[in-house]
Amino acid sequence: MVLKLILLIASLVAFSFFTGLNLDNKCDIWFFWTTFKNVPVFLTAIISFAAGALFTLPLALKAGRKNDDSDKEVSRKTEKGLKKIKSSENNITYDRDK
């Protein structure tokens, strides 16, 4: 718990330095129908990171759901296989009289 707190504080300090050092760096951003002028670079970086996270989230959720479905299918196939084995064991007869 203490380690997480230290990492959080360190990341906030790093973010503060990044923001403070890039306040004077500005750029123009063209976004299809309009151009935003004099946008700080740190704001561009934050928005880009957030957009990447938003676009990745559905893919990550879809991949997780696909793995869960395949696990269920494997367990269903395993159950069917076990039932077949048990039913075949019940049908085996041994001739002890020979």
Side-chain angles (χ1 to χ4, degrees), residues 18-67:
F18 178 74
T19 302
L21 295 173
N22 286 305
L23 282 175
D24 292 335
N25 297 336
K26 300 192 190 278
C27 61
D28 294 341
I29 299 176
W30 175 79
F31 192 71
F32 298 109
W33 57 87
T34 187
T35 301
F36 299 105
K37 299 211 181 266
N38 296 325
V39 177
V41 172
F42 78 92
L43 192 60
T44 305
I46 292 171
I47 291 172
S48 299
F49 180 76
L54 287 176
F55 282 109
T56 305
L57 187 62
L59 295 174
L61 293 175
K62 183 178 178 183
R65 189 172 354 135
K66 184 177 180 182
N67 287 339

Side-chain angles (χ1 to χ4, degrees):
M1 186 71 179
V2 174
L3 182 62
K4 287 182 182 181
L5 180 63
I6 292 171
L7 290 174
L8 177 68
I9 291 171
S11 63
L12 288 175
V13 169
F15 177 74
S16 299
F17 275 117
F18 178 74
T19 302
L21 295 173
N22 286 305
L23 282 175
D24 292 335
N25 297 336
K26 300 192 190 278
C27 61
D28 294 341
I29 299 176
W30 175 79
F31 192 71
F32 298 109
W33 57 87
T34 187
T35 301
F36 299 105
K37 299 211 181 266
N38 296 325
V39 177
V41 172
F42 78 92
L43 192 60
T44 305
I46 292 171
I47 291 172
S48 299
F49 180 76
L54 287 176
F55 282 109
T56 305
L57 187 62
L59 295 174
L61 293 175
K62 183 178 178 183
R65 189 172 354 135
K66 184 177 180 182
N67 287 339
D68 290 343
D69 291 343
S70 64
D71 290 344
K72 289 178 185 175
E73 186 175 330
V74 168
S75 67
R76 253 188 267 125
K77 287 181 179 178
T78 305
E79 287 176 8
K80 286 182 181 178
L82 290 175
K83 286 179 184 176
K84 285 183 181 178
I85 290 171
K86 286 181 182 178
S87 66
S88 64
E89 287 176 352
N90 292 338
N91 295 333
I92 296 175
T93 57
Y94 298 101
D95 293 330
R96 294 185 181 176
D97 296 334
K98 289 185 178 181

